[in-house]
């Protein structure tokens, strides 16, 4: 059997790979040592993939080969893989994995030979979800969401761009005085970040609080 697991939900894919591995080897450590290969397409040596496909099982009736990041295979290894997929060995199960959601070029036909699934992480909240919390006077929740963006390595300047757009739409109905105070807070946060007056993350947190207070008055 050949499996093809695509997408960026790595925990879901690893869980499925573990399920197949446990079913095939019944948690036998000796079988895992001799009949299981965990390969990375980026780090394959010359003829390593070809040798893996030709190796016979030692302990179990089947071998299992996991090939990760298949979209990064070299052209010579792609040919080896396609040839195997067209005439798979009965003693060898293969799991092909990629963080891509679709395969291109010489790999585009792989789904024809494999039992496939695309496993994508559910789309998380975005900056505009955070601004909606601000409009609803839920600054505490907005700050929690902001912290989540930092955990996802979203740069504070990206968030600043969304806040500028947001204030241009939501600030004007508040009246000239509050609108201009918000613009001043935005300008100050931008300078704090670009001139390293404050930590960028803290500068945006401070701005979210200040805009939230202006929205309440």
């Amino acid at each position: 059997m050949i499996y093809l697991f695509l997408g960026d939900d790595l925990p879901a894919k690893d869980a499925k790979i573990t399920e197949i591995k446990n079913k095939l080897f019944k948690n036998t450590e000796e079988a895992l040592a001799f009949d299981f290969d965990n390969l990375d397409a980026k780090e394959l040596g010359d003829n390593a993939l070809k040798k893996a496909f030709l190796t016979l099982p030692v302990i179990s009736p089947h071998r299992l080969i996991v090939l990760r990041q298949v979209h990064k295979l070299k052209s010579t290894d792609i040919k080896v893989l396609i040839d195997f997929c067209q005439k798979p060995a009965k003693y060898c199960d293969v799991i092909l994995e990629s963080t891509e959601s679709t395969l291109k070029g010489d790999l585009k036909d792989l789904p024809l030979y494999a039992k496939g699934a695309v496993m994508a992480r559910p789309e998380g909240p975005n900056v505009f979800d955070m601004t909606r919390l601000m409009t609803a006077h839920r600054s505490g929740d907005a700050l929690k969401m902001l912290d989540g963006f930092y955990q996802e390595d979203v740069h504070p300047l990206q968030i600043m761009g969304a806040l500028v757009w947001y204030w241009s739409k939501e600030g004007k109905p508040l009246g000239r005085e509050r609108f201009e105070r918000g613009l001043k807070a935005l300008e100050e946060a931008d300078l704090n970040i670009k001139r390293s007056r404050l930590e960028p993350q803290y500068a945006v947190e401070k701005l979210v609080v200040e805009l939230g207070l202006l929205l309440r008055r």
Side-chain angles (χ1 to χ4, degrees):
M1 177 66 73
I2 301 173
Y3 303 89
L4 178 62
F5 298 148
L6 303 176
D8 61 359
D9 193 341
L10 297 180
K13 288 190 290 185
D14 284 344
K16 190 64 179 176
I17 290 171
T18 298
E19 178 186 329
I20 294 170
K21 187 167 59 176
N22 289 343
K23 182 178 180 181
L24 192 61
F25 295 124
K26 306 298 183 184
N27 293 316
T28 304
E29 293 297 327
E30 191 175 11
L32 288 172
F34 287 97
D35 296 329
F36 173 64
D37 284 332
N38 189 22
L39 307 176
D40 190 316
K42 296 183 299 181
E43 301 173 359
L44 285 176
D46 293 340
N47 296 318
L49 188 59
K50 186 175 184 179
K51 290 176 182 177
F53 288 149
L54 292 175
T55 301
L56 295 172
V58 177
I59 305 297
S60 297
H62 287 76
R63 275 174 48 75
L64 177 63
I65 299 171
V66 176
L67 179 59
R68 297 182 182 274
Q69 298 290 50
V70 67
H71 63 282
K72 294 187 177 181
L73 280 174
K74 294 178 290 189
S75 57
T76 52
D77 288 322
I78 290 176
K79 185 179 185 308
V80 170
L81 175 60
I82 296 298
D83 287 346
F84 177 86
C85 289
Q86 290 174 339
K87 295 180 180 179
K90 293 182 179 180
Y91 58 80
C92 187
D93 286 0
V94 178
I95 300 174
L96 306 173
E97 183 273 337
S98 171
T99 51
E100 302 291 302
S101 57
T102 57
L103 296 175
K104 303 174 184 177
D106 293 336
L107 292 171
K108 69 180 187 302
D109 291 334
L110 271 186
L112 298 177
Y113 308 108
K115 180 179 180 181
V118 177
M119 303 179 191
R121 289 182 295 181
E123 187 174 344
N126 57 46
V127 178
F128 298 105
D129 293 321
M130 184 186 74
T131 60
R132 281 190 281 271
L133 290 173
M134 293 167 61
T135 300
H137 308 310
R138 295 169 58 188
S139 294
D141 291 332
L143 289 172
K144 289 179 182 178
M145 189 175 289
L146 177 61
D147 184 64
F149 298 148
Y150 293 153
Q151 298 299 322
E152 295 289 332
D153 293 325
V154 178
H155 195 279
L157 285 176
Q158 291 177 267
I159 299 169
M160 280 291 300
L163 289 174
V164 169
W165 179 90
Y166 168 73
W167 194 251
S168 70
K169 301 295 183 183
E170 298 294 326
K172 287 181 180 179
L174 300 175
R176 181 176 178 179
E177 181 186 355
R178 276 193 282 173
F179 177 62
E180 290 183 352
R181 287 170 64 185
L183 291 179
K184 185 176 180 180
L186 286 161
E187 181 182 11
E188 183 180 358
D190 187 61
L191 290 174
N192 284 337
I193 293 172
K194 292 179 178 177
R195 297 182 182 178
S196 301
R197 294 175 176 174
L198 293 174
E199 287 291 327
Q201 291 87 346
Y202 176 70
V204 176
E205 290 172 7
K206 180 173 178 289
L207 175 61
V208 168
V209 172
E210 289 173 341
L211 295 181
L213 289 173
L214 289 172
L215 288 165
R216 283 180 176 274
R217 294 176 183 174

